[in-house]
Amino acid sequence: MTTVTMGKALNLALHDSLERDDRVLIFGEDVGKLGGVFRVTDGLQDEFGQRRVFDTPLAEATIAAAALGLAMKGFRPVAEMQFDAFSYPSFQQVTSNIAKYHTRTLGAVNMQLVIRIPYGGNIGAIEQHSESPETYYAHTAGLKVVTPATPADAYAMLCAAIADPDPVIFLEPKARYWMRQDVDLPMAPAELHRARVAREGADATIVAYGPTVQTALAAAETAQGEGISLEVIDLRSLSPLDMDTIAASVRKTKRAVVVHEAPVFMGMGAEIAARLMHDLFDVLAAPVERVGNATVPYPPSRVEKLFLPDADRILEAVDRTREY
Amino acid sequence: MTTVTMGKALNLALHDSLERDDRVLIFGEDVGKLGGVFRVTDGLQDEFGQRRVFDTPLAEATIAAAALGLAMKGFRPVAEMQFDAFSYPSFQQVTSNIAKYHTRTLGAVNMQLVIRIPYGGNIGAIEQHSESPETYYAHTAGLKVVTPATPADAYAMLCAAIADPDPVIFLEPKARYWMRQDVDLPMAPAELHRARVAREGADATIVAYGPTVQTALAAAETAQGEGISLEVIDLRSLSPLDMDTIAASVRKTKRAVVVHEAPVFMGMGAEIAARLMHDLFDVLAAPVERVGNATVPYPPSRVEKLFLPDADRILEAVDRTREY
Amino acid sequence: MADAIGTRAGRETERQHSLAAMLDENGVLTAEAERAAGVSNEQLRELYRMMVICRRLDQEGLNLQRQGELGLWGPYAGHEAAQVGAALAMAPTDWIFPYYRDFAMAVCRGIDPGGILGVFRGLAHGSWNPYEHRFAPFIIPVGTQIPHAVGFAMGCALDNEETSVLVGFGEGATSTGDWHEAMNFASVFHAPVVFLCENNQWAISVPMRQQVGGRIADRAAGYGFPGVRVDGTDVLSVYTIVREAANRARRGEGPALIEALSYRMQPHTTSDDPTRYRTDADVEPWRQRDPITRCAERLRARDAYDDDLARAATEEGDERAAAMRRAVTSAPVPHPGVVFDLVYANPPEALLREKAEFVAALETEGDA
Amino acid sequence: MADAIGTRAGRETERQHSLAAMLDENGVLTAEAERAAGVSNEQLRELYRMMVICRRLDQEGLNLQRQGELGLWGPYAGHEAAQVGAALAMAPTDWIFPYYRDFAMAVCRGIDPGGILGVFRGLAHGSWNPYEHRFAPFIIPVGTQIPHAVGFAMGCALDNEETSVLVGFGEGATSTGDWHEAMNFASVFHAPVVFLCENNQWAISVPMRQQVGGRIADRAAGYGFPGVRVDGTDVLSVYTIVREAANRARRGEGPALIEALSYRMQPHTTSDDPTRYRTDADVEPWRQRDPITRCAERLRARDAYDDDLARAATEEGDERAAAMRRAVTSAPVPHPGVVFDLVYANPPEALLREKAEFVAALETEGDA
Ligand SMILES: Cc1ncc(C[n+]2csc(CCOP(=O)(O)OP(=O)(O)O)c2C)c(N)n1
Ligand SMILES: Cc1ncc(C[n+]2csc(CCOP(=O)(O)OP(=O)(O)O)c2C)c(N)n1
Ligand SMILES: [Mg+2]
Ligand SMILES: [Mg+2]
């Protein structure tokens, strides 16, 4: 048992994957000597050399495209996009090629690659460093989109993503890089698309993922003090969604709140709410509530907290479902 | 009263806008001599000259970025992306700059520009020519996203989009370019974000937009023969949504089906269904149904019809809401 | 290649000249370079033969489209020398990353043309196994295959293979950001790539001068590797210069850019109407530079041309065209369920369920 | 400019030389070019003065960040000659499209530095009105401002204005697709753009040789316009060459690329730790080439330096730094409702309602 931060857990997952499989490569901007702006690749170039861990020119489209070419050559590239908004230059390569190459080659070529993207806000950053781009990727068929909420999952899911033969968009909740947890490493790779009941409860279900899981748990803790028992689901996988696990919870609690940092409009909450209200139309005691950003560009950092989901906003939404 | 196709209506809207406002510019790939691969810009370069209607190099990111720069200089650029999937190279420029420039300049600079994108399938095309990218744009705060379903709206909405001081993603349902309608031109510009009741009915509401409005109307016609009265809403605006108009209809019919070509997963239907079931939780007699593509890359054209919404699939969804 | 991918030890100035010096001011192989290259009469006859066959297949593609058997056809007439010359110049162990118009390259790589036409018939989004032919799929989003080739070539270098990678694209593609990023990556990682620009002077209706600032071949120098403009209607020149560029790359001497100047003799695709933007007089000079005629002249000059060669090639072209027609017109429409099967190597349960529902719904409709 | 935007009548070969010929092999203005340029002592003293002031403001930015008053600071020490030289070389009627590090340019354009710091304090995403200062906003996504400048310059040409447009970017930005697309557009449309690459040899931790294949200035030739590498630590050279490039552009002679070679003396930003990737010995040689010292030497050589100049500049720097500190530390946090107000010029009803609900909820919370 050791205590690791999420950043360190990701670092160890990369390390162990490099060690386990000599086809694994890591590249991106500043992942070499610097070890990444968040130090997630710290020490890896030193240990595995510049042929397996290397910096690239500043060109995200070609970082993604090179991952495609290297995957085709039988490598297992793990490419880093430095921040959420800086994955957008690769959008065409990801959407039109990476997501479609397996289809286009009638299954002959696997896109066994991972694109790691630190995402989300709440770190007091300047513009373009706090976006939540999951809708863009989740809506793109042919990708798998996952995001861990804990150090243990960060490790197990990243190992699983690297071992998976399909292209995985691996969203890392950057505000949680410093979150700590006691873990027994190495762990077995996770099942990639299985949601997790992060806390059991009876009165309502909070569906969260990535950075908002901890927020949801804090809200549940507060609620507990008020005699309200909240179940918290950590989605882990955004595409596909594990609707079975979510629905099982909501079948029990009859109330649900979906929480994310992305704007509510066309966010993951839309899909989850639509599915829940469709599939559990007669079960639900109240409409599914959604908590997320307003329909605005990510706000300046001095006011960001007012736009981000916090325990209060989550509990207000819970109240709305309970008082319905 | 003249009969025009949607393609011609768009052409006339561009023509009249060029004539009305000498700051309007039209550019993109093949919009000049060729008049666009769909002939939407036919004859405009001849009439208005190469300084106002011009071809660009093959570079969509910079087509969008040049539109930004020209808008800042006080022009009203109308840029064309040749096909849906070929708008993806401009994704960073649209998402990180065009959608955010007004904010970034504290309101000093207007992004009065239009990006025209022919979209949707059902034309027997090869890969990348049949995509429905509306989710990507609609989720991006700072843009306005609209799509006409008729020649009259095509004219009135494009004029309105060009006159609007904000960036408008103008999605043109390419399978409907050849659809005809009698119209009285010129018409007044439309109110950009107001949905339209395309057909009145009592038993269920079909919410459609762009290419699926005609399909929905055909379904309603068939249903009529079976004694079922369907109301059809033509959204026109995807961001923002005119929830008032949709909700007013569903309040009456108590049943709704949302129809689009994009995959159901994280499609516009998710947002609409989530909103309807939230806002009309006690009104709805059945869960909102969604009809759209499966969670697959757009299929090869010989099988595309099986994946596209057609009257049968819409009516089956209506049946599900009626038999619930 | 001790530390990083690729080395850039031997910088390129003199080697640049080794490619450039092979060509005269018209981009045609100099007599001296021709001698040094030692392309045999047999090889030149083979180039001729493949060009004749490929032209015939192009014609058949056009016919099939006009007869409604294909949704679309993108004719490559005018590109035969560039495509056949380049494809045959690459070693069988080399890889080719084509663009959508590189049909003749695919044929040279032994890919079944009837199968390819399935893509233009709308049966599937691809037809061949890239690993079998060392030939990547056709890519439609312009320019995006260029960095794929660079990534793949980086992998070849990492594996210490003596493999070079050819990537084909039009002059329109050089306007894309992806082209530039790929050129720069290739230089920085010293990747064994041959960039082949098939400059046919048109991107649909946009002529070269509205597309390209400066001269494409000149741009390579800015990336620190050689670039040449070759006469793209002379198959011997294309073949020889691409072979040399591929040899260089295979020897670890880094990338090169070859701009093969030719002309698009036909519409962009069957959906296009070139009368709107060019005249027959624009095209006419290029009819005089027909790649097949020019190759025949070269053969005659070597006394290596005979009517049998032409006759046999024509016959083989007819036969292959007929076989292609048979193959594509008799190809079954795949079951739509296949669309689901091809998305992932390891499909998630949710998609398997979606497929099951989709297929069940289809069958219900079929029954009804 | 009869027909299309821009003309490319006079092609550039001899004019290319007119820029290149101004510089010696080290990128320093030749004695002859210096004479021809006729930059007065007064002008050179003004360049000196602004560099001293801007360096002081940079230091204050760093201090403010360390004291927790700013979320982030991106120091530009080492860039003073490039930024001040370029900004003052542009006519007041010209436009500047900066990148995030071009703070000194903003100061030269008269923009309130305290206001700008609001961005780094997280108060807002911008601070000045671009039209007031002919100065576009700082852009964070690397390279994306480059085609904005080209689009704007196309507009200047369309309006038949005699305006040139400067765009600033780092050498890392030259790796982006946007850089290339913009270079090509500028050439094709003959746009009056001066591309200024502030090559500080690092993109965060990535050194130039892992970033750039070839030489940046050399790339301009491939687009058919002039490119030069200037000594980016010599403000007189930068000023003179940028002024000439801007004059050319304003005269309708098209774009030019200027690579100003200098060095990033400080961390990339205050979040960076350069000890992980470079040593003090790497930086040392560039301390010897300090832009301010070099300018002082030039002034001395002209007998135009005096201690009063330095003293007055230092004092003014201190005053402006203090004012900047006061301004930013006393700036109020804007009401969050403003976030909604800035999204659109013509906000749709749906957003107005959302704002009303948001504000109401805030007030309820405030009450509770
Ligand atoms: C990114 C992108 N934008 C636009 C298109 C539409 N399009 C298809 S081919 C073409 C012209 C390409 O010209 P070029 O690269 O010269 O190749 P050619 O077709 O002439 O062989 C265009 C604009 C596309 N396929 N991809
Ligand atoms: C598209 C994009 N990718 C990545 C980043 C993160 N990033 C910010 S600055 C920078 C390095 C830029 O280097 P350069 O262009 O040389 O400018 P410098 O910072 O050295 O002045 C990087 C990678 C970004 N801002 N935008
Ligand atoms: Mg071409
Ligand atoms: Mg730099």
Side-chain angles (χ1 to χ4, degrees):
Chain A
M1 221 49 159
T2 40
T3 308
V4 295
T5 61
M6 183 183 293
K8 184 66 188 170
L10 292 165
N11 177 266
L12 291 170
L14 292 173
H15 177 276
D16 295 354
S17 298
L18 282 161
E19 204 164 56
R20 188 180 307 122
D21 181 349
D22 66 7
R23 304 303 282 175
V24 171
L25 301 177
I26 292 175
F27 54 88
E29 295 154 15
D30 305 293
V31 300
K33 275 196 184 164
L34 185 62
V37 294
F38 292 108
R39 304 297 182 265
V40 171
T41 57
D42 189 26
L44 300 179
Q45 185 177 72
D46 259 2
E47 183 167 347
F48 296 97
Q50 289 179 48
R51 291 168 67 92
R52 299 193 58 204
V53 180
F54 54 90
D55 289 331
T56 65
L58 205 168
E60 287 82 3
T62 290
I63 291 172
L68 182 157
L70 284 159
M72 193 162 169
K73 186 70 181 72
F75 288 91
R76 322 249 172 274
V78 183
E80 174 175 310
M81 302 284 156
Q82 200 160 77
F83 281 88
D84 27 69
F86 308 141
S87 71
Y88 302 156
S90 67
F91 195 70
Q92 170 174 237
Q93 284 291 353
V94 170
T95 303
S96 291
N97 289 321
I98 289 175
K100 299 186 171 67
Y101 218 80
H102 191 71
T103 285
R104 194 178 291 154
T105 57
L106 306 184
V109 178
N110 289 351
M111 285 289 103
Q112 182 158 359
L113 60 88
V114 175
I115 298 180
R116 295 179 38 243
I117 311 177
Y119 80 114
N122 220 348
I123 61 160
I126 53 173
E127 227 195 324
Q128 323 289 352
H129 290 71
S130 301
E131 308 245 318
S132 295
E134 56 268 28
T135 284
Y136 303 135
Y137 294 112
H139 183 59
T140 303
L143 304 174
K144 297 174 173 180
V145 185
V146 303
T147 181
T150 64
D153 273 0
Y155 180 91
M157 288 171 65
L158 185 50
C159 290
I162 294 171
D164 194 88
D166 296 307
V168 179
I169 306 294
F170 195 87
L171 297 168
E172 302 176 357
K174 69 171 89 82
R176 302 302 181 205
Y177 274 142
W178 300 273
M179 171 189 183
R180 290 171 177 282
Q181 188 181 15
D182 290 334
V183 284
D184 241 338
L185 294 178
M187 303 167 48
E191 199 183 333
L192 213 43
H193 302 302
R194 188 63 64 211
R196 172 177 77 97
V197 180
R199 176 184 176 118
E200 293 200 23
D203 298 335
T205 299
I206 310 182
V207 180
Y209 56 87
T212 57
V213 172
Q214 225 184 356
T215 320
L217 288 170
E221 196 59 36
T222 306
Q224 186 75 18
E226 297 167 13
I228 304 165
S229 157
L230 297 181
E231 181 143 310
V232 175
I233 303 285
D234 170 3
L235 284 179
R236 284 177 170 154
S237 177
L238 304 184
S239 175
L241 284 169
D242 176 6
M243 285 307 301
D244 290 350
T245 301
I246 310 171
S249 171
V250 179
R251 216 179 285 281
K252 182 176 71 176
T253 63
K254 302 191 170 35
R255 292 173 170 81
V257 175
V258 191
V259 186
H260 50 64
E261 292 189 7
V264 167
F265 191 79
M266 296 298 290
M268 294 301 310
E271 180 64 34
I272 296 165
R275 279 293 294 274
L276 281 177
M277 290 194 276
H278 180 275
D279 297 353
L280 304 179
F281 191 73
D282 297 320
V283 171
L284 281 165
V288 176
E289 292 289 327
R290 293 183 279 164
V291 177
N293 199 356
T295 315
V296 296
Y298 195 86
S301 62
R302 288 280 164 134
V303 296
E304 69 183 333
K305 291 229 178 334
L306 299 171
F307 291 80
L308 287 165
D310 59 11
D312 280 353
R313 283 180 65 204
I314 293 173
L315 292 175
E316 278 160 30
V318 169
D319 287 350
R320 287 198 298 278
T321 69
R322 295 182 62 251
E323 288 157 15
Y324 187 82
Chain B
M1 218 51 157
T2 41
T3 308
V4 295
T5 61
M6 184 184 292
K8 184 66 187 169
L10 292 164
N11 177 265
L12 290 170
L14 293 173
H15 177 276
D16 295 354
S17 297
L18 282 161
E19 205 163 56
R20 188 178 308 120
D21 180 350
D22 66 6
R23 302 304 282 174
V24 172
L25 300 177
I26 291 175
F27 54 88
E29 296 154 14
D30 305 292
V31 300
K33 275 196 183 167
L34 185 62
V37 295
F38 292 107
R39 303 298 180 268
V40 171
T41 56
D42 190 26
L44 300 179
Q45 185 177 71
D46 260 2
E47 184 166 347
F48 296 96
Q50 291 178 49
R51 291 168 67 94
R52 298 194 58 205
V53 181
F54 53 89
D55 289 331
T56 66
L58 204 167
E60 287 83 0
T62 291
I63 292 172
L68 182 157
L70 284 159
M72 192 161 169
K73 185 71 182 72
F75 289 91
R76 322 251 172 272
V78 184
E80 174 176 309
M81 302 284 156
Q82 201 160 75
F83 281 88
D84 27 68
F86 308 142
S87 72
Y88 301 158
S90 67
F91 195 69
Q92 171 174 238
Q93 284 291 353
V94 171
T95 302
S96 291
N97 290 322
I98 289 174
K100 300 185 170 69
Y101 219 79
H102 191 72
T103 285
R104 193 177 294 155
T105 57
L106 306 183
V109 179
N110 289 351
M111 287 288 103
Q112 182 158 357
L113 59 88
V114 176
I115 298 181
R116 294 179 39 242
I117 311 177
Y119 80 115
N122 222 348
I123 62 161
I126 53 174
E127 228 194 326
Q128 324 288 354
H129 290 70
S130 301
E131 308 246 318
S132 295
E134 56 269 28
T135 284
Y136 304 134
Y137 295 111
H139 183 58
T140 304
L143 305 175
K144 297 176 174 179
V145 185
V146 304
T147 181
T150 64
D153 273 358
Y155 180 91
M157 289 171 65
L158 185 50
C159 290
I162 295 171
D164 193 88
D166 297 307
V168 180
I169 305 293
F170 195 88
L171 297 168
E172 302 175 357
K174 69 171 89 82
R176 304 299 181 209
Y177 274 142
W178 299 273
M179 171 187 183
R180 289 170 178 283
Q181 188 181 15
D182 290 336
V183 284
D184 240 337
L185 294 178
M187 303 166 48
E191 199 183 335
L192 213 43
H193 302 302
R194 189 64 62 212
R196 171 178 77 98
V197 179
R199 177 184 176 117
E200 294 201 23
D203 297 336
T205 300
I206 310 182
V207 180
Y209 57 88
T212 57
V213 172
Q214 225 184 357
T215 320
L217 289 170
E221 196 59 37
T222 305
Q224 185 76 18
E226 296 167 14
I228 304 164
S229 158
L230 298 180
E231 181 143 312
V232 176
I233 303 284
D234 170 3
L235 285 179
R236 284 180 172 150
S237 177
L238 305 183
S239 175
L241 285 168
D242 177 5
M243 285 308 301
D244 291 350
T245 301
I246 310 171
S249 170
V250 178
R251 219 179 282 281
K252 178 176 74 177
T253 63
K254 304 189 170 33
R255 293 173 169 83
V257 174
V258 191
V259 186
H260 51 63
E261 292 189 8
V264 167
F265 190 80
M266 296 296 291
M268 294 301 310
E271 181 65 33
I272 296 164
R275 280 294 294 273
L276 282 177
M277 291 195 277
H278 180 275
D279 298 353
L280 305 178
F281 192 72
D282 298 321
V283 171
L284 280 165
V288 177
E289 293 288 327
R290 294 184 279 164
V291 178
N293 199 356
T295 315
V296 296
Y298 195 86
S301 62
R302 288 281 164 136
V303 296
E304 70 183 332
K305 291 230 178 331
L306 300 170
F307 291 80
L308 287 165
D310 59 12
D312 279 353
R313 284 180 64 204
I314 294 173
L315 293 176
E316 278 159 30
V318 169
D319 285 350
R320 287 198 297 278
T321 70
R322 296 185 62 250
E323 288 156 15
Y324 187 81
Chain C
M1 295 200 309
D3 262 3
I5 310 180
T7 41
R8 289 187 292 164
R11 292 314 257 129
E12 300 304 332
T13 329
E14 83 300 355
R15 290 202 189 96
Q16 158 121 18
H17 289 270
S18 84
L19 285 184
M22 290 168 67
L23 303 175
D24 68 17
E25 67 284 4
N26 298 316
V28 175
L29 210 60
T30 65
E32 195 192 320
E34 186 179 344
R35 263 194 309 281
V39 176
S40 71
N41 290 353
E42 245 355 272
Q43 287 171 305
L44 192 56
R45 286 163 63 95
E46 176 60 9
L47 290 163
Y48 179 87
R49 190 181 136 259
M50 285 310 297
M51 288 200 295
V52 171
I53 290 166
C54 288
R55 167 146 326 158
R56 180 65 185 84
L57 296 179
D58 186 38
Q59 187 55 53
E60 195 67 12
L62 220 44
N63 296 344
L64 283 160
Q65 198 281 336
R66 291 207 182 112
Q67 292 153 8
E69 300 290 351
L70 302 181
L72 186 82
W73 182 243
Y76 51 86
H79 289 245
E80 295 90 347
Q83 293 184 16
V84 171
L88 294 186
M90 300 305 284
T93 49
D94 290 338
W95 271 76
I96 297 177
F97 281 68
Y99 81 121
Y100 50 80
R101 204 181 292 284
D102 283 328
F103 192 91
M105 287 199 197
V107 175
C108 289
R109 274 287 163 116
I111 297 170
D112 171 41
I116 310 177
L117 289 199
V119 174
F120 296 96
R121 194 176 170 87
L123 300 174
H125 291 317
S127 83
W128 61 91
N129 179 336
Y131 295 115
E132 253 170 50
H133 301 277
R134 302 192 173 222
F135 196 81
F138 288 161
I139 299 291
I140 292 166
V142 167
T144 63
Q145 77 284 5
I146 310 176
H148 303 166
V150 173
F152 193 94
M154 287 164 66
C156 296
L158 279 172
D159 281 340
N160 295 314
E161 281 176 11
E162 295 206 351
T163 305
S164 70
V165 178
L166 179 92
V167 58
F169 51 88
E171 87 291 346
T174 67
S175 297
T176 65
D178 281 14
W179 176 81
H180 160 69
E181 294 187 2
M183 292 281 286
N184 187 49
F185 260 61
S187 177
V188 166
F189 294 109
H190 206 66
V193 183
V194 181
F195 294 93
L196 178 73
C197 177
E198 299 176 40
N199 183 345
N200 64 12
Q201 308 194 44
W202 293 94
I204 309 185
S205 73
V206 181
M208 195 172 35
R209 73 167 186 292
Q210 281 174 252
Q211 184 72 249
V212 180
R215 224 160 142 277
I216 293 167
D218 290 351
R219 290 189 183 166
Y223 301 94
F225 59 79
V228 289
R229 181 186 272 185
V230 65
D231 181 338
T233 63
D234 177 25
V235 73
L236 181 66
S237 297
V238 173
Y239 175 84
T240 309
I241 201 89
V242 170
R243 197 180 61 175
E244 181 54 25
N247 287 342
R248 281 181 79 257
R250 239 180 275 111
R251 288 194 303 260
E253 292 167 23
L257 168 66
I258 292 167
E259 176 188 3
L261 188 71
S262 67
Y263 202 80
R264 201 193 72 215
M265 302 304 291
Q266 294 282 345
H268 171 70
T269 64
T270 45
S271 303
D272 183 31
D273 174 9
T275 63
R276 297 178 68 99
Y277 55 82
R278 72 184 193 190
T279 65
D280 197 61
D282 294 327
V283 184
E284 188 47 34
W286 293 89
R287 294 212 182 93
Q288 309 308 318
R289 299 177 60 180
D290 179 72
I292 295 180
T293 315
R294 293 198 59 191
C295 185
E297 278 160 20
R298 278 209 180 266
L299 282 167
R300 278 200 195 89
R302 288 172 172 220
D303 224 0
Y305 182 85
D306 52 66
D307 288 344
D308 275 358
L309 172 66
R311 192 169 331 107
T314 305
E315 275 169 21
E316 190 177 345
D318 289 342
E319 276 159 31
R320 290 218 210 174
M324 177 173 90
R325 168 181 290 268
R326 274 194 306 277
V328 68
T329 53
S330 65
V333 176
H335 187 278
V338 171
V339 170
F340 293 85
D341 301 336
L342 294 180
V343 186
Y344 298 107
N346 176 26
E349 215 181 288
L351 189 66
L352 298 177
R353 279 195 232 167
E354 216 183 322
K355 179 188 171 185
E357 283 165 27
F358 181 92
V359 171
L362 271 189
E363 278 160 12
T364 321
E365 278 173 39
D367 293 347
Chain D
M1 294 202 308
D3 262 2
I5 309 180
T7 40
R8 289 189 292 163
R11 294 312 260 132
E12 299 303 333
T13 329
E14 80 305 353
R15 290 202 189 96
Q16 159 120 19
H17 288 271
S18 83
L19 285 185
M22 290 168 65
L23 303 175
D24 69 17
E25 65 284 5
N26 298 316
V28 175
L29 209 61
T30 64
E32 195 191 320
E34 187 179 343
R35 263 193 309 279
V39 176
S40 70
N41 291 351
E42 247 354 272
Q43 287 170 307
L44 192 55
R45 285 164 63 95
E46 175 63 9
L47 290 164
Y48 178 87
R49 191 182 134 258
M50 285 310 297
M51 287 201 295
V52 170
I53 291 167
C54 288
R55 170 150 319 162
R56 180 66 185 81
L57 296 179
D58 186 36
Q59 187 56 52
E60 195 66 13
L62 218 46
N63 297 344
L64 283 161
Q65 198 282 333
R66 291 207 182 110
Q67 293 155 5
E69 299 290 351
L70 302 181
L72 186 82
W73 181 245
Y76 51 87
H79 289 246
E80 295 90 346
Q83 292 183 17
V84 171
L88 294 186
M90 301 303 286
T93 49
D94 291 337
W95 271 76
I96 296 178
F97 281 69
Y99 82 120
Y100 49 80
R101 205 181 290 286
D102 283 328
F103 191 91
M105 288 198 196
V107 175
C108 289
R109 275 289 162 116
I111 296 170
D112 170 42
I116 310 178
L117 289 198
V119 174
F120 295 98
R121 193 176 170 88
L123 299 175
H125 292 317
S127 82
W128 62 91
N129 180 337
Y131 296 114
E132 254 170 50
H133 302 278
R134 301 191 175 222
F135 196 79
F138 287 162
I139 299 291
I140 292 168
V142 167
T144 63
Q145 77 284 7
I146 311 176
H148 303 166
V150 173
F152 193 93
M154 287 164 66
C156 295
L158 279 171
D159 280 339
N160 295 314
E161 281 176 11
E162 295 206 350
T163 305
S164 70
V165 178
L166 178 91
V167 58
F169 51 89
E171 86 293 346
T174 67
S175 297
T176 65
D178 282 14
W179 176 80
H180 159 71
E181 294 187 4
M183 292 280 286
N184 187 50
F185 260 61
S187 177
V188 165
F189 293 109
H190 206 67
V193 183
V194 181
F195 294 93
L196 178 73
C197 177
E198 298 176 41
N199 182 347
N200 63 11
Q201 309 194 41
W202 294 94
I204 310 186
S205 73
V206 181
M208 194 174 34
R209 70 168 188 291
Q210 281 173 251
Q211 183 73 251
V212 180
R215 222 160 144 278
I216 293 168
D218 290 351
R219 290 190 184 164
Y223 300 94
F225 59 80
V228 289
R229 181 186 273 185
V230 66
D231 182 338
T233 63
D234 178 24
V235 72
L236 181 66
S237 297
V238 173
Y239 175 84
T240 310
I241 201 88
V242 169
R243 196 181 61 176
E244 180 55 24
N247 287 342
R248 281 181 79 256
R250 239 180 276 110
R251 287 194 303 260
E253 292 167 23
L257 169 66
I258 292 166
E259 177 189 2
L261 188 71
S262 67
Y263 203 80
R264 201 193 72 217
M265 303 305 291
Q266 294 283 343
H268 171 70
T269 65
T270 45
S271 304
D272 184 29
D273 174 9
T275 64
R276 299 179 67 100
Y277 55 81
R278 73 184 192 188
T279 65
D280 196 61
D282 293 328
V283 184
E284 189 47 35
W286 292 88
R287 293 211 182 92
Q288 308 310 317
R289 299 176 60 180
D290 179 72
I292 295 179
T293 315
R294 293 198 61 191
C295 185
E297 280 160 20
R298 278 208 180 266
L299 283 167
R300 279 200 194 88
R302 288 174 172 219
D303 224 1
Y305 182 85
D306 52 68
D307 288 344
D308 276 0
L309 172 66
R311 191 166 337 105
T314 305
E315 276 168 20
E316 189 176 347
D318 288 342
E319 278 160 30
R320 290 220 210 174
M324 177 173 90
R325 168 180 290 267
R326 275 193 306 277
V328 68
T329 53
S330 65
V333 177
H335 187 278
V338 172
V339 170
F340 294 85
D341 301 337
L342 294 180
V343 186
Y344 299 105
N346 176 24
E349 215 180 287
L351 188 66
L352 298 177
R353 279 196 231 168
E354 218 184 319
K355 178 187 171 185
E357 283 165 26
F358 181 92
V359 171
L362 271 190
E363 279 161 12
T364 320
E365 277 172 41
D367 294 348

